[in-house]
mmCIF file with all atom_site columns, all heavy atoms in Angstrom:
data_model
loop_
_atom_site.group_PDB
_atom_site.id
_atom_site.type_symbol
_atom_site.label_atom_id
_atom_site.label_alt_id
_atom_site.label_comp_id
_atom_site.label_asym_id
_atom_site.label_entity_id
_atom_site.label_seq_id
_atom_site.pdbx_PDB_ins_code
_atom_site.Cartn_x
_atom_site.Cartn_y
_atom_site.Cartn_z
_atom_site.occupancy
_atom_site.B_iso_or_equiv
_atom_site.pdbx_formal_charge
_atom_site.auth_seq_id
_atom_site.auth_comp_id
_atom_site.auth_asym_id
_atom_site.auth_atom_id
_atom_site.pdbx_PDB_model_num
ATOM 1   N N   . GLY A 1 417 ? 4.941  -9.573  9.471  1.00 0.00 ? 417 GLY A N   1
ATOM 2   C CA  . GLY A 1 417 ? 6.247  -10.211 9.677  1.00 0.00 ? 417 GLY A CA  1
ATOM 3   C C   . GLY A 1 417 ? 7.033  -10.305 8.380  1.00 0.00 ? 417 GLY A C   1
ATOM 4   O O   . GLY A 1 417 ? 8.238  -10.041 8.336  1.00 0.00 ? 417 GLY A O   1
ATOM 5   N N   . ASN A 1 418 ? 6.362  -10.661 7.284  1.00 0.00 ? 418 ASN A N   1
ATOM 6   C CA  . ASN A 1 418 ? 7.036  -10.718 5.983  1.00 0.00 ? 418 ASN A CA  1
ATOM 7   C C   . ASN A 1 418 ? 7.567  -9.353  5.581  1.00 0.00 ? 418 ASN A C   1
ATOM 8   O O   . ASN A 1 418 ? 8.680  -9.230  5.070  1.00 0.00 ? 418 ASN A O   1
ATOM 9   C CB  . ASN A 1 418 ? 6.064  -11.215 4.905  1.00 0.00 ? 418 ASN A CB  1
ATOM 10  C CG  . ASN A 1 418 ? 5.890  -12.727 4.952  1.00 0.00 ? 418 ASN A CG  1
ATOM 11  O OD1 . ASN A 1 418 ? 6.767  -13.442 5.417  1.00 0.00 ? 418 ASN A OD1 1
ATOM 12  N ND2 . ASN A 1 418 ? 4.756  -13.199 4.485  1.00 0.00 ? 418 ASN A ND2 1
ATOM 13  N N   . VAL A 1 419 ? 6.746  -8.332  5.798  1.00 0.00 ? 419 VAL A N   1
ATOM 14  C CA  . VAL A 1 419 ? 7.155  -6.964  5.464  1.00 0.00 ? 419 VAL A CA  1
ATOM 15  C C   . VAL A 1 419 ? 8.401  -6.582  6.275  1.00 0.00 ? 419 VAL A C   1
ATOM 16  O O   . VAL A 1 419 ? 9.387  -6.078  5.729  1.00 0.00 ? 419 VAL A O   1
ATOM 17  C CB  . VAL A 1 419 ? 5.979  -5.991  5.744  1.00 0.00 ? 419 VAL A CB  1
ATOM 18  C CG1 . VAL A 1 419 ? 6.464  -4.553  5.821  1.00 0.00 ? 419 VAL A CG1 1
ATOM 19  C CG2 . VAL A 1 419 ? 4.908  -6.150  4.667  1.00 0.00 ? 419 VAL A CG2 1
ATOM 20  N N   . ILE A 1 420 ? 8.367  -6.858  7.559  1.00 0.00 ? 420 ILE A N   1
ATOM 21  C CA  . ILE A 1 420 ? 9.504  -6.494  8.425  1.00 0.00 ? 420 ILE A CA  1
ATOM 22  C C   . ILE A 1 420 ? 10.756 -7.272  8.010  1.00 0.00 ? 420 ILE A C   1
ATOM 23  O O   . ILE A 1 420 ? 11.878 -6.744  8.034  1.00 0.00 ? 420 ILE A O   1
ATOM 24  C CB  . ILE A 1 420 ? 9.153  -6.748  9.911  1.00 0.00 ? 420 ILE A CB  1
ATOM 25  C CG1 . ILE A 1 420 ? 8.042  -5.788  10.354 1.00 0.00 ? 420 ILE A CG1 1
ATOM 26  C CG2 . ILE A 1 420 ? 10.386 -6.574  10.796 1.00 0.00 ? 420 ILE A CG2 1
ATOM 27  C CD1 . ILE A 1 420 ? 7.500  -6.072  11.755 1.00 0.00 ? 420 ILE A CD1 1
ATOM 28  N N   . SER A 1 421 ? 10.577 -8.539  7.588  1.00 0.00 ? 421 SER A N   1
ATOM 29  C CA  . SER A 1 421 ? 11.755 -9.349  7.260  1.00 0.00 ? 421 SER A CA  1
ATOM 30  C C   . SER A 1 421 ? 12.574 -8.688  6.153  1.00 0.00 ? 421 SER A C   1
ATOM 31  O O   . SER A 1 421 ? 13.798 -8.659  6.203  1.00 0.00 ? 421 SER A O   1
ATOM 32  C CB  . SER A 1 421 ? 11.348 -10.774 6.858  1.00 0.00 ? 421 SER A CB  1
ATOM 33  O OG  . SER A 1 421 ? 10.739 -10.803 5.583  1.00 0.00 ? 421 SER A OG  1
ATOM 34  N N   . LEU A 1 422 ? 11.907 -8.105  5.159  1.00 0.00 ? 422 LEU A N   1
ATOM 35  C CA  . LEU A 1 422 ? 12.644 -7.476  4.048  1.00 0.00 ? 422 LEU A CA  1
ATOM 36  C C   . LEU A 1 422 ? 13.202 -6.120  4.446  1.00 0.00 ? 422 LEU A C   1
ATOM 37  O O   . LEU A 1 422 ? 14.263 -5.717  3.954  1.00 0.00 ? 422 LEU A O   1
ATOM 38  C CB  . LEU A 1 422 ? 11.742 -7.365  2.814  1.00 0.00 ? 422 LEU A CB  1
ATOM 39  C CG  . LEU A 1 422 ? 11.843 -8.538  1.834  1.00 0.00 ? 422 LEU A CG  1
ATOM 40  C CD1 . LEU A 1 422 ? 13.272 -8.741  1.363  1.00 0.00 ? 422 LEU A CD1 1
ATOM 41  C CD2 . LEU A 1 422 ? 11.334 -9.833  2.423  1.00 0.00 ? 422 LEU A CD2 1
ATOM 42  N N   . GLN A 1 423 ? 12.516 -5.445  5.343  1.00 0.00 ? 423 GLN A N   1
ATOM 43  C CA  . GLN A 1 423 ? 13.047 -4.163  5.819  1.00 0.00 ? 423 GLN A CA  1
ATOM 44  C C   . GLN A 1 423 ? 14.348 -4.398  6.607  1.00 0.00 ? 423 GLN A C   1
ATOM 45  O O   . GLN A 1 423 ? 15.338 -3.674  6.431  1.00 0.00 ? 423 GLN A O   1
ATOM 46  C CB  . GLN A 1 423 ? 11.988 -3.480  6.688  1.00 0.00 ? 423 GLN A CB  1
ATOM 47  C CG  . GLN A 1 423 ? 12.279 -2.005  6.886  1.00 0.00 ? 423 GLN A CG  1
ATOM 48  C CD  . GLN A 1 423 ? 11.163 -1.291  7.619  1.00 0.00 ? 423 GLN A CD  1
ATOM 49  O OE1 . GLN A 1 423 ? 10.025 -1.809  7.713  1.00 0.00 ? 423 GLN A OE1 1
ATOM 50  N NE2 . GLN A 1 423 ? 11.458 -0.117  8.162  1.00 0.00 ? 423 GLN A NE2 1
ATOM 51  N N   . LEU A 1 424 ? 14.347 -5.429  7.430  1.00 0.00 ? 424 LEU A N   1
ATOM 52  C CA  . LEU A 1 424 ? 15.563 -5.769  8.179  1.00 0.00 ? 424 LEU A CA  1
ATOM 53  C C   . LEU A 1 424 ? 16.656 -6.252  7.225  1.00 0.00 ? 424 LEU A C   1
ATOM 54  O O   . LEU A 1 424 ? 17.831 -5.923  7.388  1.00 0.00 ? 424 LEU A O   1
ATOM 55  C CB  . LEU A 1 424 ? 15.259 -6.851  9.227  1.00 0.00 ? 424 LEU A CB  1
ATOM 56  C CG  . LEU A 1 424 ? 14.316 -6.440  10.359 1.00 0.00 ? 424 LEU A CG  1
ATOM 57  C CD1 . LEU A 1 424 ? 13.969 -7.656  11.224 1.00 0.00 ? 424 LEU A CD1 1
ATOM 58  C CD2 . LEU A 1 424 ? 14.927 -5.342  11.234 1.00 0.00 ? 424 LEU A CD2 1
ATOM 59  N N   . TRP A 1 425 ? 16.279 -7.033  6.225  1.00 0.00 ? 425 TRP A N   1
ATOM 60  C CA  . TRP A 1 425 ? 17.237 -7.568  5.267  1.00 0.00 ? 425 TRP A CA  1
ATOM 61  C C   . TRP A 1 425 ? 17.957 -6.426  4.543  1.00 0.00 ? 425 TRP A C   1
ATOM 62  O O   . TRP A 1 425 ? 19.180 -6.421  4.443  1.00 0.00 ? 425 TRP A O   1
ATOM 63  C CB  . TRP A 1 425 ? 16.512 -8.477  4.273  1.00 0.00 ? 425 TRP A CB  1
ATOM 64  C CG  . TRP A 1 425 ? 17.281 -8.925  3.071  1.00 0.00 ? 425 TRP A CG  1
ATOM 65  C CD1 . TRP A 1 425 ? 17.080 -8.544  1.783  1.00 0.00 ? 425 TRP A CD1 1
ATOM 66  C CD2 . TRP A 1 425 ? 18.361 -9.877  3.031  1.00 0.00 ? 425 TRP A CD2 1
ATOM 67  N NE1 . TRP A 1 425 ? 17.953 -9.192  0.944  1.00 0.00 ? 425 TRP A NE1 1
ATOM 68  C CE2 . TRP A 1 425 ? 18.757 -10.016 1.684  1.00 0.00 ? 425 TRP A CE2 1
ATOM 69  C CE3 . TRP A 1 425 ? 19.021 -10.616 4.011  1.00 0.00 ? 425 TRP A CE3 1
ATOM 70  C CZ2 . TRP A 1 425 ? 19.790 -10.859 1.277  1.00 0.00 ? 425 TRP A CZ2 1
ATOM 71  C CZ3 . TRP A 1 425 ? 20.058 -11.468 3.609  1.00 0.00 ? 425 TRP A CZ3 1
ATOM 72  C CH2 . TRP A 1 425 ? 20.434 -11.581 2.264  1.00 0.00 ? 425 TRP A CH2 1
ATOM 73  N N   . GLU A 1 426 ? 17.199 -5.431  4.064  1.00 0.00 ? 426 GLU A N   1
ATOM 74  C CA  . GLU A 1 426 ? 17.839 -4.303  3.369  1.00 0.00 ? 426 GLU A CA  1
ATOM 75  C C   . GLU A 1 426 ? 18.796 -3.555  4.296  1.00 0.00 ? 426 GLU A C   1
ATOM 76  O O   . GLU A 1 426 ? 19.897 -3.178  3.892  1.00 0.00 ? 426 GLU A O   1
ATOM 77  C CB  . GLU A 1 426 ? 16.782 -3.329  2.821  1.00 0.00 ? 426 GLU A CB  1
ATOM 78  C CG  . GLU A 1 426 ? 16.180 -3.780  1.504  1.00 0.00 ? 426 GLU A CG  1
ATOM 79  C CD  . GLU A 1 426 ? 15.448 -2.655  0.756  1.00 0.00 ? 426 GLU A CD  1
ATOM 80  O OE1 . GLU A 1 426 ? 15.400 -1.500  1.245  1.00 0.00 ? 426 GLU A OE1 1
ATOM 81  O OE2 . GLU A 1 426 ? 14.926 -2.950  -0.340 1.00 0.00 ? 426 GLU A OE2 1
ATOM 82  N N   . ALA A 1 427 ? 18.366 -3.360  5.546  1.00 0.00 ? 427 ALA A N   1
ATOM 83  C CA  . ALA A 1 427 ? 19.226 -2.638  6.488  1.00 0.00 ? 427 ALA A CA  1
ATOM 84  C C   . ALA A 1 427 ? 20.471 -3.457  6.812  1.00 0.00 ? 427 ALA A C   1
ATOM 85  O O   . ALA A 1 427 ? 21.589 -2.913  6.903  1.00 0.00 ? 427 ALA A O   1
ATOM 86  C CB  . ALA A 1 427 ? 18.450 -2.320  7.766  1.00 0.00 ? 427 ALA A CB  1
ATOM 87  N N   . ALA A 1 428 ? 20.307 -4.771  6.960  1.00 0.00 ? 428 ALA A N   1
ATOM 88  C CA  . ALA A 1 428 ? 21.461 -5.632  7.263  1.00 0.00 ? 428 ALA A CA  1
ATOM 89  C C   . ALA A 1 428 ? 22.443 -5.639  6.093  1.00 0.00 ? 428 ALA A C   1
ATOM 90  O O   . ALA A 1 428 ? 23.666 -5.557  6.288  1.00 0.00 ? 428 ALA A O   1
ATOM 91  C CB  . ALA A 1 428 ? 20.990 -7.052  7.582  1.00 0.00 ? 428 ALA A CB  1
ATOM 92  N N   . LEU A 1 429 ? 21.923 -5.706  4.847  1.00 0.00 ? 429 LEU A N   1
ATOM 93  C CA  . LEU A 1 429 ? 22.795 -5.703  3.665  1.00 0.00 ? 429 LEU A CA  1
ATOM 94  C C   . LEU A 1 429 ? 23.573 -4.395  3.551  1.00 0.00 ? 429 LEU A C   1
ATOM 95  O O   . LEU A 1 429 ? 24.750 -4.397  3.169  1.00 0.00 ? 429 LEU A O   1
ATOM 96  C CB  . LEU A 1 429 ? 21.962 -5.862  2.389  1.00 0.00 ? 429 LEU A CB  1
ATOM 97  C CG  . LEU A 1 429 ? 21.559 -7.259  1.957  1.00 0.00 ? 429 LEU A CG  1
ATOM 98  C CD1 . LEU A 1 429 ? 20.872 -7.179  0.592  1.00 0.00 ? 429 LEU A CD1 1
ATOM 99  C CD2 . LEU A 1 429 ? 22.754 -8.197  1.904  1.00 0.00 ? 429 LEU A CD2 1
ATOM 100 N N   . ALA A 1 430 ? 22.907 -3.289  3.891  1.00 0.00 ? 430 ALA A N   1
ATOM 101 C CA  . ALA A 1 430 ? 23.588 -1.994  3.818  1.00 0.00 ? 430 ALA A CA  1
ATOM 102 C C   . ALA A 1 430 ? 24.722 -1.942  4.848  1.00 0.00 ? 430 ALA A C   1
ATOM 103 O O   . ALA A 1 430 ? 25.800 -1.398  4.581  1.00 0.00 ? 430 ALA A O   1
ATOM 104 C CB  . ALA A 1 430 ? 22.587 -0.864  4.064  1.00 0.00 ? 430 ALA A CB  1
ATOM 105 N N   . ALA A 1 431 ? 24.483 -2.546  6.016  1.00 0.00 ? 431 ALA A N   1
ATOM 106 C CA  . ALA A 1 431 ? 25.504 -2.504  7.072  1.00 0.00 ? 431 ALA A CA  1
ATOM 107 C C   . ALA A 1 431 ? 26.603 -3.545  6.822  1.00 0.00 ? 431 ALA A C   1
ATOM 108 O O   . ALA A 1 431 ? 27.759 -3.337  7.195  1.00 0.00 ? 431 ALA A O   1
ATOM 109 C CB  . ALA A 1 431 ? 24.848 -2.738  8.432  1.00 0.00 ? 431 ALA A CB  1
ATOM 110 N N   . LYS A 1 432 ? 26.240 -4.685  6.238  1.00 0.00 ? 432 LYS A N   1
ATOM 111 C CA  . LYS A 1 432 ? 27.204 -5.791  6.055  1.00 0.00 ? 432 LYS A CA  1
ATOM 112 C C   . LYS A 1 432 ? 27.094 -6.308  4.625  1.00 0.00 ? 432 LYS A C   1
ATOM 113 O O   . LYS A 1 432 ? 26.409 -7.313  4.370  1.00 0.00 ? 432 LYS A O   1
ATOM 114 C CB  . LYS A 1 432 ? 26.888 -6.933  7.020  1.00 0.00 ? 432 LYS A CB  1
ATOM 115 C CG  . LYS A 1 432 ? 26.651 -6.485  8.451  1.00 0.00 ? 432 LYS A CG  1
ATOM 116 C CD  . LYS A 1 432 ? 27.734 -7.009  9.336  1.00 0.00 ? 432 LYS A CD  1
ATOM 117 C CE  . LYS A 1 432 ? 27.519 -6.541  10.762 1.00 0.00 ? 432 LYS A CE  1
ATOM 118 N NZ  . LYS A 1 432 ? 28.301 -7.288  11.711 1.00 0.00 ? 432 LYS A NZ  1
ATOM 119 N N   . PRO A 1 433 ? 27.743 -5.653  3.675  1.00 0.00 ? 433 PRO A N   1
ATOM 120 C CA  . PRO A 1 433 ? 27.554 -5.990  2.270  1.00 0.00 ? 433 PRO A CA  1
ATOM 121 C C   . PRO A 1 433 ? 27.995 -7.413  1.909  1.00 0.00 ? 433 PRO A C   1
ATOM 122 O O   . PRO A 1 433 ? 27.636 -7.903  0.839  1.00 0.00 ? 433 PRO A O   1
ATOM 123 C CB  . PRO A 1 433 ? 28.419 -4.958  1.535  1.00 0.00 ? 433 PRO A CB  1
ATOM 124 C CG  . PRO A 1 433 ? 28.752 -3.910  2.540  1.00 0.00 ? 433 PRO A CG  1
ATOM 125 C CD  . PRO A 1 433 ? 28.662 -4.536  3.888  1.00 0.00 ? 433 PRO A CD  1
ATOM 126 N N   . GLY A 1 434 ? 28.757 -8.090  2.784  1.00 0.00 ? 434 GLY A N   1
ATOM 127 C CA  . GLY A 1 434 ? 29.240 -9.421  2.435  1.00 0.00 ? 434 GLY A CA  1
ATOM 128 C C   . GLY A 1 434 ? 28.242 -10.549 2.648  1.00 0.00 ? 434 GLY A C   1
ATOM 129 O O   . GLY A 1 434 ? 28.542 -11.712 2.366  1.00 0.00 ? 434 GLY A O   1
ATOM 130 N N   . ILE A 1 435 ? 27.053 -10.225 3.141  1.00 0.00 ? 435 ILE A N   1
ATOM 131 C CA  . ILE A 1 435 ? 26.123 -11.287 3.540  1.00 0.00 ? 435 ILE A CA  1
ATOM 132 C C   . ILE A 1 435 ? 25.805 -12.254 2.396  1.00 0.00 ? 435 ILE A C   1
ATOM 133 O O   . ILE A 1 435 ? 25.822 -13.472 2.575  1.00 0.00 ? 435 ILE A O   1
ATOM 134 C CB  . ILE A 1 435 ? 24.801 -10.679 4.086  1.00 0.00 ? 435 ILE A CB  1
ATOM 135 C CG1 . ILE A 1 435 ? 25.060 -10.002 5.438  1.00 0.00 ? 435 ILE A CG1 1
ATOM 136 C CG2 . ILE A 1 435 ? 23.735 -11.759 4.244  1.00 0.00 ? 435 ILE A CG2 1
ATOM 137 C CD1 . ILE A 1 435 ? 23.875 -9.234  5.992  1.00 0.00 ? 435 ILE A CD1 1
ATOM 138 N N   . GLU A 1 436 ? 25.522 -11.702 1.212  1.00 0.00 ? 436 GLU A N   1
ATOM 139 C CA  . GLU A 1 436 ? 25.112 -12.602 0.126  1.00 0.00 ? 436 GLU A CA  1
ATOM 140 C C   . GLU A 1 436 ? 26.230 -13.570 -0.278 1.00 0.00 ? 436 GLU A C   1
ATOM 141 O O   . GLU A 1 436 ? 25.964 -14.724 -0.607 1.00 0.00 ? 436 GLU A O   1
ATOM 142 C CB  . GLU A 1 436 ? 24.603 -11.786 -1.069 1.00 0.00 ? 436 GLU A CB  1
ATOM 143 C CG  . GLU A 1 436 ? 23.206 -11.251 -0.768 1.00 0.00 ? 436 GLU A CG  1
ATOM 144 C CD  . GLU A 1 436 ? 22.678 -10.309 -1.839 1.00 0.00 ? 436 GLU A CD  1
ATOM 145 O OE1 . GLU A 1 436 ? 23.349 -9.294  -2.101 1.00 0.00 ? 436 GLU A OE1 1
ATOM 146 O OE2 . GLU A 1 436 ? 21.610 -10.597 -2.408 1.00 0.00 ? 436 GLU A OE2 1
#
Side-chain angles (χ1 to χ4, degrees):
N418 281 335
V419 163
I420 294 173
S421 72
L422 267 303
Q423 197 174 343
L424 294 173
W425 169 250
E426 279 197 0
L429 277 186
K432 313 246 179 164
I435 290 173
E436 284 174 302

